[in-house]
Amino acid sequence: MADTAALLLKPGKERSLQRRHPWVYAGAVASVAGTPGNGELVAIRGSDRRFLAWAAYSPQSLIRARCWSYAEAERVDGAWLAARVRAAVARRAQLQETGDALRLVFGEADGLPGLVADRYGDTLVLQIHSAGIELHRELLIDALCAASGCATVFERSDAALREREGLPDSGGLLRGDKPAAAVPIREHGVHYLVDIRRGHKTGFYLDQRDSRQRLALAVRDFVRRHGRGPRVLNCFCYTGGFSLAAAQAGAQAVLSVDTSADALALGQRNAALNGLDPAQLQWRCADVFEELRALREGAAQFDFIVLDPPKFATNQHQIERAARAYKDINLSALRLLAPGGRLLSFSCSGAIEVDLFQKIVAGAVIDAGIDCHLLARLGAGADHPVLVTHPEGEYLKGLMLERI
Ligand code: SAH
């Protein structure tokens, strides 16, 4: 493929690719040989013209190319892309046992940068965020349907991310019949309804599956040890992911807080779907920062508290402000934690690394004047694999603390 278009890198800019980081930034490119179109295959060559990788060209993006492969002998064509999809689905075969909602493709980690494919029962929900994936979208959708057995495909791409790639806004039904307003799924024995058309991201926070299960196991253990169900506070509850996991595991009372009335309404429907006693679950439409203070004034205490806020830092410049916000909610939550109680505290800000997050939470523990053990580090499940050479993929981090 000597006549394939190529991006020539500036001297010294080869290193990141040699370390198998899959992005080529615009600033690293010295020149473009040929006239590749949006998303088309290009060879990436070092300043000495040596082959480094095959990549998809994104002429309008700051990330100018995303790598498909580092092997010159590989033929990156339709069959190759379809094989990547099959490999991604096969990688998760065992996880199907935990339920019928799963991330089947997670971008870079599955060698398909810019593609997310989430399965909710028989429905696939896609996000297409790179020019390379866009160019091959039909072929990739065919491969996804064939590998997963799903017939309905819905797109929920983020318009802002597509715009950065020079791609027009796109979304809605791609294949099959219009999906129900709320698609039923099952996760570790809990039933949930997912609003794939209007819900957050692709409709559900699949990345918290393992941690919801962790909470359920800890709640069961609490019941065994204390002979009563724990009191649970779920902050930033969305549609009640953690709330239902806790309630079904035997929590005595679960208070769920979120500012989204729609999410809370779906949370209530989810509770009914699982046949839970409505008196067991309380749903409160409120700002968590304020609600935590109000609860303290009322001298409330909880045996389990979950803090799963939205992304407070979207880039490096927001780290300081975000750190203050994380500290604030963690301190307020720790003040409500009963002795022996547990806090599950998360950050999905990629810009905040796990060490910093742990320092922030430790600062809150000190200010709360209590002592805590770090019982476990938490994160996304195995359907969100992380390439060791692409740490950006590991955005979700969590800590499980126990008040001594
Ligand atoms: N833990 C959830 C996902 C949480 S996503 C799950 O397992 O499904 C973050 C949630 O925080 C969103 O539902 C959003 O509506 C809510 N939110 C954002 N800012 C908030 C605030 N200040 N107070 C309360 N909720 C907030």
Side-chain angles (χ1 to χ4, degrees), residues 52 62 66 94 156 230 261 268 338 345:
L52 294 170
L62 203 61
R66 291 175 172 79
Q94 283 202 315
R156 282 294 306 276
Q268 269 168 300
S345 181

Side-chain angles (χ1 to χ4, degrees), residues 200 205 212 236-238 241-242 258-260 286-289 308 310:
H200 295 178
Y205 289 87
R212 287 187 285 260
F236 309 98
C237 66
Y238 188 49
F242 284 98
D258 203 286
T259 43
S260 164
D287 177 87
V288 164
F289 290 83
D308 185 21

Side-chain angles (χ1 to χ4, degrees), residues 166-381:
L167 302 173
D169 193 6
S170 165
L173 187 66
L174 303 179
R175 300 272 169 96
D177 301 328
K178 196 167 164 219
V183 175
I185 61 155
R186 191 175 30 80
E187 176 189 284
H188 285 298
V190 183
H191 297 274
Y192 296 95
L193 292 168
V194 179
D195 181 352
I196 64 167
R197 283 183 269 180
R198 294 182 309 134
H200 295 178
K201 303 213 280 186
T202 63
F204 197 66
Y205 289 87
L206 288 173
D207 53 0
Q208 289 287 27
R209 183 181 46 253
D210 283 9
S211 295
R212 287 187 285 260
Q213 165 77 345
R214 274 304 263 271
L215 175 65
L217 293 175
V219 165
R220 280 202 191 99
D221 187 52
F222 184 101
V223 174
R224 255 194 310 275
R225 285 189 291 128
H226 298 269
R228 67 164 174 95
R231 300 154 293 178
V232 178
L233 171 63
N234 183 10
C235 298
F236 309 98
C237 66
Y238 188 49
T239 55
F242 284 98
S243 312
L244 297 194
Q248 214 194 47
Q252 171 193 109
V254 183
L255 172 59
S256 306
V257 183
D258 203 286
T259 43
S260 164
D262 287 348
L264 291 167
L266 197 51
Q268 269 168 300
R269 286 178 64 193
N270 284 336
L273 188 67
N274 288 279
L276 292 163
D277 177 1
Q280 206 184 342
L281 293 124
Q282 232 188 317
W283 305 87
R284 196 166 291 167
C285 193
D287 177 87
V288 164
F289 290 83
E290 290 167 15
E291 185 61 26
L292 287 171
R293 288 189 171 79
L295 286 166
R296 180 151 194 244
E297 275 160 28
Q301 281 221 315
F302 297 91
D303 303 300
F304 286 92
I305 300 178
V306 178
L307 287 178
D308 185 21
K311 206 194 278 183
F312 286 159
T314 45
N315 59 50
Q316 298 291 324
H317 307 294
Q318 296 171 349
I319 289 182
E320 229 171 275
R321 211 187 52 196
R324 278 197 296 276
Y326 284 119
K327 168 99 177 269
D328 183 349
I329 52 170
N330 278 278
L331 175 56
S332 297
L334 287 163
R335 287 181 165 146
L336 301 173
L337 200 62
R342 291 185 185 185
L343 170 68
L344 280 71
S345 181
F346 297 92
S347 161
C348 60
S349 302
I352 303 227
E353 288 179 16
V354 65
D355 289 355
L356 174 58
F357 185 57
Q358 191 172 324
K359 278 193 192 118
I360 295 166
V361 175
V365 169
I366 294 164
D367 288 6
I370 60 173
D371 287 305
C372 288
H373 283 140
L374 171 58
L375 294 188
R377 290 211 168 85
L378 309 171

Side-chain angles (χ1 to χ4, degrees), residues 1-24:
M1 288 199 251
D3 54 348
T4 310
L7 304 191
L8 249 58
L9 301 188
K10 293 175 184 164
K13 294 292 185 187
E14 296 89 356
R15 212 176 131 67
S16 125
L17 274 189
Q18 281 161 345
R19 296 183 58 79
R20 300 253 167 145
H21 189 281
W23 297 343
V24 177

